[in-house]
Amino acid sequence: MTPRIINCVGQLPYKIQLGSNNDKYKVSLIEGNGPLYSSLHYLSNPENGYEQHIVGWTGELKRNSSIDLSVKDLKLQKKNKDNTADANANANSNQPISDEDPLYLTKEQLQNLNGAIQSKYSKDVSPSNAQIHPVWLLRRNQSSWRNYAENIIWPTFHYILNQSNDGENETNWWYDYVKFNEAYAQKIGEIYTPGDIIWIHDYYLLLLPQLLKMNLQNDDSAPPIITYFHHAPWPSNEYFRCLPRRKQILDGMVGADRITFQNESFARHFVSSCKRLLDSTSKMSINKRDKQQYHVSVYGGDVMVDSLPIGVDKEKLLNDAFTKDIDDKVISIKQAYQDKKIIIGRDRFDSVRGVVQKLRAFETFLAMYPEWRNKVVLIQVSTPTTNKDSPQTIKLEQQVNELVNSINSRYGTLNFSPVQHYYMRIPNDVYYSLMRVADLCLITTVRDGINTTAFEYVTIKSKTSAFNCANNPLILSEFSGSSIVLKDSILINPWDSVAVAKETHKALIMTNEEKSMLQGKLYPQVPTIQNWTEIYLETLNQMMNKSNQNKKMSPALNRPILFENYNSAKRRLFCFDYDGTLTPIVKDPAAAIPTARLYSIIEKLSRDPKNQIWIISGRDQKFLNKWWGSKFKQLGLSAEHGCFIRDVNSDDWINLTEQTDMSWQKKVIFTMEEFVDKTPGSFIEKKKCAIVWHYRRSVPELGEFNAESLKNNLLQFADDYNLEVMEGKANIEVRPRIFNKGEIVKKLIWHKHSGEQDFANNEINKSLPKDSMPDFVLCLGDDATDEDMFRQMNSIEEEWSTMYPKDKNKFNNFGFYPVTVGSSSKQTVAKAHLTDPQQVIETLGLLVGDVSIFQSPGTVDLDTRGHVKNSPSSKKSEEAAVAYAERNGN
Ligand SMILES: O=P(O)(O)OC[C@H]1O[C@H](O[C@H]2O[C@H](CO)[C@@H](O)[C@H](O)[C@H]2O)[C@H](O)[C@@H](O)[C@@H]1O
Ligand SMILES: [Mg+2]
């Protein structure tokens, strides 16, 4: 069977323009878009062995009245395309949809547009078996979908710190960012089949990996294979940690099985962010390509982190750049700048691409080398970004204009300006002709993931043509991701204008032999997109074969659905483990105390008369009394893994072990003492019943080794006393087998909700009416002992399915949520996971209204406008659509 790849990109490679009537539209290719789309094209070819599904947002829809013109008129416009002034005029007529012009597209219109995009792709990319799945987000102010990615994430990834502010924008943008990712998860959910590879690209979709893990996993099938490629730089943790939602972002990403960066240093920074913010551990090894790769253990699960720089489609580039039409353009540029050397620059117009640095260096060059005055022209093409109208870009534009004017007035003449600055998007043919004609390409970026202009330039310079332009050199910033790949380019520090000026001079006086020697080294260093795609997928396949595909993964807890279920329930029971669930694990057991936030949330939760809350812990009564019992009488408590219990609103503890022989304790302590002696840092915690040997403060390897042998020693006599020997978190614990947390949960569920417990009575009353027992049970725990609780819940659920088949709620369940705290790959009988105590607190905060639902990614059904289905805003939008259609007589 042909393997399937679902490729997820932040935006489809098309721009969609609507005429004044929504039935008239034009779908056209976005020009000058890079290697990612080339990779999609490569995978679209059925000969390359994959069936590809491309999922992407449509981008902002534009109105263009010229679409209402006849086909003949459109042809006329096309003729004028080479003329940059006309190209500009065309761009200006593409007005973004304004707020007064809402996009109410009917289902039929959407279907037609889907068909138009599909057929355009199949025509543009031939042969192709790819299917395009547009993500429609037609809400007003469509560019709001970009805000978080472009205004918060992008600057941080490029070492630009955002100004501190009241956070209101950030919160609103985050909401849209979550929805944007959810819209993708929803679309993928519609097309996913088990075994598909899901390949996610770049920082618009950082939450998608975890959302997919949450949505696509079901009990019977193999887990989805999710891989993420990060095209942008990844900053040092000192910058990354400035992001307010840094943890949510990392949590989202580590849902992927593999995360790949453009180079090793970005990968290293990412691993370090995970270590510091997620408390992960990692092992580094060297892969077959002689590059570092990391196995990162986050929340007990594994993510592979590596690097592979993207490439370009060399073959296509050489075909496209060497046509008769472009030959003519090369000649006309050469004629326009006779007797002059041509330096070319093409950059996105944002603060990190170093246009200012380039102009300063060029000014210095003209000052230092007067012999070049009037003999060199710098043609700088700056491509506008979607942030064109932001204050930062406007400021940059002013700065660049001032520099250009100053250089031209100082070193220009009446009929020659040494700097030609074009702030516009140029068509590919113009770009290729500039690259071909260039004597030198100057790249002074101060930060980028990879610079494909560098790759394209070197590729174009590899071909000899009639115009003597081959082999001309490249000056490349050492801050560009490409500098690690193009090791033999002329590397410069863009902040050092003098050095750049000197290198420019040297490059311009290079002999043909020197140039061809340099080019001979550089050209093979340019990666091809074909190789990149193949190596990426090959490594992924090897990795997936190695890791156990049948390993069951638990999905992340779907918090929005939990919230809905909670709200509709009347008799809610909460069973919380303590250590590692309500508080993070720390070195000293005495220091694991509740935070004020936890207290406040538990207090709010317990205020609701529908709720009954139990803390079912391995801790002893003293500890639980001190931190919980003395403060909240309304909580039920169970100590030492079910050995002791204190009912809700009671002061008395019941000792369930009263009749149990405790003579084993001496023997256990004696055995453990021997291990305390040989494991420095370890100690024994003696509770009333259970005995624990802790080794968290010992040398980890020694602790683990001795824990294994202690366990074996204890197991030798465990059966004689009916003891359970449990492996906890850096501990080995012993207690009588007959008591466990599961028994407590069983009693609590088979019980009249809120009624007094009769713990002395071991019997369960199975004749209780269903509507007196809990209709919502959230049970959270992190350890092996908590699995007993989950197991009980699963078995009661099964029993209830037979006993009360008609009494399931609208979610087709009994409201049971057995949830482990740890990674998705942790082996558990729980039905879902939350990664750590912080997520636990956020989830409980959501239930009591402390955390907004919109902050929690989950499976929320969205309409085509990006509103949550059936929400007030969705309904309002539907009504407006009907009114709009009526107004327009549709
Ligand atoms: O059932 P729990 O409430 O999760 O309690 C399990 C054990 O937790 C404590 O030990 C663990 O947490 C300590 C504090 O974070 C940590 O230092 C230790 O390494 C962990 O094993 C507690 O000390 C035990 O008595 C509980 O059985
Ligand atoms: Mg625990």
Side-chain angles (χ1 to χ4, degrees):
M1 220 176 68
T2 316
R4 289 179 21 132
I5 296 187
I6 301 179
N7 239 320
C8 313
V9 296
Q11 188 179 340
L12 292 176
Y14 290 107
K15 66 173 182 249
I16 300 165
Q17 296 158 294
L18 293 175
S20 48
N21 172 333
N22 285 346
D23 286 326
K24 290 193 173 152
Y25 47 77
K26 188 177 167 202
V27 177
S28 44
L29 198 69
I30 300 175
E31 286 214 80
N33 46 65
L36 168 58
Y37 295 146
S38 302
S39 166
L40 300 184
H41 294 176
Y42 174 74
L43 287 170
S44 299
N45 186 341
E47 275 178 20
N48 294 324
Y50 289 93
E51 176 187 322
Q52 189 185 207
H53 293 257
I54 302 173
V55 177
W57 177 44
T58 56
E60 294 90 344
L61 272 66
K62 314 257 173 170
R63 287 253 181 242
N64 186 346
S65 49
S66 68
I67 288 165
D68 298 334
L69 301 175
S70 69
V71 176
K72 207 172 100 219
D73 294 329
L74 283 173
K75 269 190 190 149
L76 257 176
Q77 286 198 357
K78 195 168 178 282
K79 254 191 179 171
N80 287 335
K81 211 177 96 192
D82 300 341
N83 182 319
T84 39
D86 280 358
N88 247 357
N90 269 349
N92 290 338
S93 70
N94 294 335
Q95 295 304 325
I97 306 293
S98 72
D99 274 7
E100 289 70 45
D101 184 13
L103 282 166
Y104 293 121
L105 298 178
T106 61
K107 248 191 188 165
E108 204 186 357
Q109 285 164 338
L110 278 177
Q111 263 170 13
N112 290 342
L113 275 163
N114 280 342
I117 297 170
Q118 179 67 56
S119 58
K120 178 87 178 108
Y121 190 85
S122 310
K123 213 168 109 205
D124 289 344
V125 183
S126 175
S128 160
N129 65 356
Q131 287 177 44
I132 314 289
H133 305 272
V135 174
W136 295 98
L137 289 163
L138 299 171
R139 219 169 66 193
R140 285 177 190 218
N141 188 8
Q142 296 170 77
S143 53
S144 63
W145 301 111
R146 299 179 181 275
N147 277 337
Y148 193 81
E150 293 182 4
N151 297 329
I152 303 288
I153 300 179
W154 185 90
T156 310
F157 283 2
H158 289 83
Y159 288 81
I160 301 169
L161 286 186
N162 288 304
Q163 296 293 317
S164 66
N165 53 52
D166 64 3
E168 199 186 320
N169 272 345
E170 200 258 358
T171 304
N172 293 334
W173 295 343
W174 173 254
Y175 165 75
D176 288 335
Y177 187 72
V178 173
K179 292 286 152 287
F180 187 82
N181 279 258
E182 279 169 349
Y184 274 72
Q186 184 169 315
K187 178 62 69 187
I188 294 164
E190 291 163 15
I191 58 173
Y192 172 77
T193 59
D196 286 355
I197 293 172
I198 304 171
W199 191 353
I200 301 166
H201 294 271
D202 228 7
Y203 61 92
Y204 286 84
L205 300 172
L206 294 173
L207 306 178
L208 189 55
Q210 195 61 265
L211 279 171
L212 292 175
K213 269 268 154 71
M214 192 190 302
N215 296 355
L216 300 180
Q217 176 70 49
N218 77 46
D219 289 349
D220 314 317
S221 61
I225 302 162
I226 302 171
T227 186
Y228 170 84
F229 188 84
H230 192 74
H231 293 254
W234 191 276
S236 119
N237 187 50
E238 288 311 305
Y239 272 79
F240 179 73
R241 73 198 185 104
C242 299
L243 272 179
R245 321 266 162 171
R246 60 209 182 168
K247 214 172 156 285
Q248 284 101 316
I249 286 173
L250 290 180
D251 281 346
M253 291 177 78
V254 298
D257 301 290
R258 178 191 186 188
I259 299 175
T260 309
F261 294 86
Q262 299 276 19
N263 64 46
E264 285 174 314
S265 76
F266 298 157
R268 200 171 47 246
H269 288 324
F270 172 77
V271 172
S272 134
S273 299
C274 289
K275 273 191 189 160
R276 284 165 177 80
L277 296 165
L278 302 184
D279 210 15
S280 68
T281 55
S282 73
K283 273 192 198 137
M284 201 267 279
S285 56
I286 299 295
N287 66 18
K288 275 190 191 156
R289 287 174 290 114
D290 217 18
K291 297 281 174 238
Q292 295 173 348
Q293 74 181 22
Y294 299 84
H295 290 269
V296 180
S297 295
V298 204
Y299 311 123
D302 283 338
V303 184
M304 185 175 114
V305 176
D306 64 348
S307 63
L308 185 68
I310 202 166
V312 290
D313 189 341
K314 289 183 179 178
E315 204 185 310
K316 183 169 185 307
L317 194 60
L318 291 175
N319 274 337
D320 292 353
F322 289 82
T323 62
K324 168 79 186 65
D325 177 42
I326 295 174
D327 285 352
D328 293 345
K329 286 196 173 64
V330 171
I331 292 172
S332 51
I333 302 172
K334 277 223 161 223
Q335 276 167 357
Y337 297 105
Q338 272 171 17
D339 307 325
K340 294 196 173 42
K341 294 275 185 187
I342 301 174
I343 303 178
I344 294 293
R346 198 222 23 189
D347 306 272
R348 269 166 56 110
F349 198 63
D350 58 46
S351 58
V352 297
R353 304 301 154 157
V355 178
V356 168
Q357 283 75 0
K358 192 182 304 190
L359 291 169
R360 293 228 165 92
F362 188 62
E363 192 175 27
T364 312
F365 165 74
L366 292 176
M368 283 172 66
Y369 301 95
E371 66 271 30
W372 281 114
R373 290 178 200 166
N374 217 16
K375 289 200 182 117
V376 177
V377 61
L378 166 65
I379 303 179
Q380 171 63 30
V381 179
S382 302
T383 314
T385 66
T386 47
N387 267 341
K388 200 161 115 262
D389 301 322
S390 73
Q392 293 89 327
T393 314
I394 292 170
K395 206 169 139 202
L396 178 69
E397 201 182 333
Q398 280 166 357
Q399 204 182 358
V400 165
N401 284 342
E402 277 166 24
L403 268 166
V404 170
N405 289 340
S406 131
I407 300 170
N408 284 344
S409 58
R410 186 174 305 175
Y411 299 107
T413 61
L414 267 184
N415 38 16
F416 174 63
S417 300
V419 182
Q420 302 288 323
H421 183 230
Y422 297 94
Y423 183 23
M424 58 172 59
R425 186 174 275 277
I426 53 168
N428 280 346
D429 51 357
V430 178
Y431 170 58
Y432 297 147
S433 51
L434 289 172
M435 289 279 116
R436 276 185 55 186
V437 87
D439 293 288
L440 173 68
C441 177
L442 185 53
I443 296 177
T444 48
T445 176
V446 293
R447 194 73 56 187
D448 65 33
I450 209 95
N451 194 305
T452 47
T453 301
F455 291 166
E456 285 161 355
Y457 178 79
V458 174
T459 304
I460 286 174
K461 290 302 180 196
S462 71
K463 187 156 168 170
T464 320
S465 69
F467 310 104
N468 193 23
C469 299
N471 299 338
N472 285 340
L474 163 74
I475 291 187
L476 179 60
S477 161
E478 62 188 58
F479 294 96
S480 165
S482 301
S483 65
I484 294 166
V485 182
L486 298 177
K487 294 187 192 76
D488 287 296
S489 55
I490 306 169
L491 293 181
I492 46 96
N493 172 2
W495 301 99
D496 184 348
S497 316
V498 172
V500 180
K502 280 185 187 164
E503 292 303 332
T504 305
H505 171 69
K506 275 201 240 161
L508 290 178
I509 57 165
M510 264 186 184
T511 62
N512 283 346
E513 289 68 41
E514 283 170 327
K515 287 187 206 169
S516 96
M517 212 163 81
L518 195 59
Q519 173 71 14
K521 286 186 199 163
L522 277 184
Y523 185 52
Q525 292 169 1
V526 177
T528 69
I529 196 66
Q530 292 80 356
N531 257 343
W532 178 78
T533 312
E534 272 167 15
I535 295 173
Y536 193 85
L537 291 171
E538 197 186 293
T539 326
L540 183 73
N541 282 335
Q542 283 162 3
M543 192 190 107
M544 296 323 292
N545 289 342
K546 252 195 231 160
S547 72
N548 179 5
Q549 265 298 289
N550 296 324
K551 208 163 71 180
K552 197 179 150 285
M553 314 279 275
S554 65
L557 176 64
N558 192 324
R559 289 183 265 180
I561 288 195
L562 173 91
F563 187 48
E564 231 184 303
N565 209 333
Y566 171 85
N567 281 330
S568 55
K570 296 187 187 78
R571 299 172 302 280
R572 308 173 191 131
L573 172 66
F574 294 87
C575 302
F576 298 140
D577 163 61
Y578 181 69
D579 288 282
T581 297
L582 295 181
T583 54
I585 295 292
V586 291
K587 280 215 159 124
D588 177 6
I593 58 173
T595 59
R597 172 129 200 255
L598 175 63
Y599 273 157
S600 144
I601 287 175
I602 296 287
E603 198 274 324
K604 281 187 193 159
L605 205 57
S606 68
R607 233 189 271 154
D608 188 329
K610 290 178 189 159
N611 297 346
Q612 191 171 99
I613 303 166
W614 281 77
I615 294 185
I616 304 173
S617 169
R619 292 287 184 154
D620 61 15
Q621 299 160 59
K622 203 171 149 210
F623 183 93
L624 292 180
N625 261 341
K626 179 171 175 192
W627 296 107
W628 292 103
S630 59
K631 294 184 167 54
F632 303 102
K633 217 176 154 199
Q634 66 273 36
L635 299 193
L637 300 175
S638 166
E640 301 198 32
H641 307 284
C643 294
F644 304 90
I645 197 151
R646 197 198 84 162
D647 201 358
V648 168
N649 294 323
S650 158
D651 289 324
D652 305 323
W653 282 90
I654 299 167
N655 180 357
L656 301 175
T657 68
E658 224 159 33
Q659 312 295 325
T660 316
D661 168 24
M662 291 288 170
S663 57
W664 55 269
Q665 285 183 321
K666 267 194 185 157
K667 205 164 173 182
V668 166
I669 293 171
F670 182 77
T671 314
M672 285 182 176
E673 272 167 354
E674 185 196 326
F675 281 81
V676 171
D677 291 343
K678 55 184 188 187
T679 322
S682 73
F683 62 95
I684 300 171
E685 180 187 357
K686 294 174 194 158
K687 298 187 264 191
K688 250 197 185 150
C689 172
I691 312 289
V692 200
W693 177 72
H694 287 275
Y695 62 91
R696 184 167 297 279
R697 291 191 232 152
S698 317
V699 173
E701 292 75 16
L702 180 68
E704 275 162 30
F705 181 80
N706 283 345
E708 188 59 29
S709 74
L710 169 63
K711 191 177 130 197
N712 291 335
N713 288 6
L714 292 167
L715 283 173
Q716 281 172 16
F717 58 88
D719 280 348
D720 304 344
Y721 296 92
N722 205 11
L723 298 176
E724 184 88 48
V725 180
M726 306 173 290
E727 263 179 273
K729 288 190 164 156
N731 78 31
I732 298 285
E733 181 158 5
V734 184
R735 59 153 168 77
R737 213 171 263 159
I738 50 166
F739 307 105
N740 68 60
K741 293 180 175 187
E743 288 302 308
I744 307 290
V745 165
K746 187 159 106 189
K747 285 199 172 89
L748 296 178
I749 297 180
W750 285 107
H751 185 74
K752 185 171 178 300
H753 190 64
S754 308
E756 203 179 310
Q757 288 282 352
D758 177 11
F759 290 110
N761 185 358
N762 245 339
E763 295 302 305
I764 296 290
N765 179 1
K766 292 198 177 175
S767 59
L768 277 175
K770 162 82 183 56
D771 62 7
S772 68
M773 293 184 283
D775 59 354
F776 174 93
V777 184
L778 175 61
C779 178
L780 304 174
D782 68 315
D783 241 327
T785 58
D786 304 312
E787 294 292 314
D788 291 327
M789 301 199 273
F790 307 147
R791 215 167 281 120
Q792 276 298 344
M793 287 175 75
N794 292 344
S795 95
I796 299 173
E797 192 173 42
E798 224 180 292
E799 212 171 332
W800 283 14
S801 295
T802 322
M803 288 172 76
Y804 314 112
K806 290 196 184 122
D807 288 334
K808 288 191 172 170
N809 59 23
K810 66 171 174 179
F811 309 98
N812 198 30
N813 60 37
F814 294 107
F816 284 11
Y817 287 92
V819 180
T820 188
V821 180
S823 90
S824 57
S825 56
K826 181 168 153 185
Q827 293 309 286
T828 178
V829 295
K831 294 280 163 63
H833 76 271
L834 287 169
T835 48
D836 60 359
Q838 194 181 328
Q839 271 202 0
V840 167
I841 295 194
E842 274 163 21
T843 306
L844 301 180
L846 177 71
L847 302 185
V848 297
D850 267 20
V851 174
S852 155
I853 179 84
F854 299 125
Q855 312 284 338
S856 318
T859 41
V860 181
D861 279 350
L862 298 176
D863 62 19
T864 49
R865 312 179 66 72
H867 295 295
V868 178
K869 260 189 197 160
N870 301 326
S871 67
S873 48
S874 171
K875 285 183 183 150
K876 216 170 124 191
S877 170
E878 265 169 43
E879 284 161 17
V882 173
Y884 177 84
E886 275 170 7
R887 255 201 328 273
N888 291 290
N890 191 340

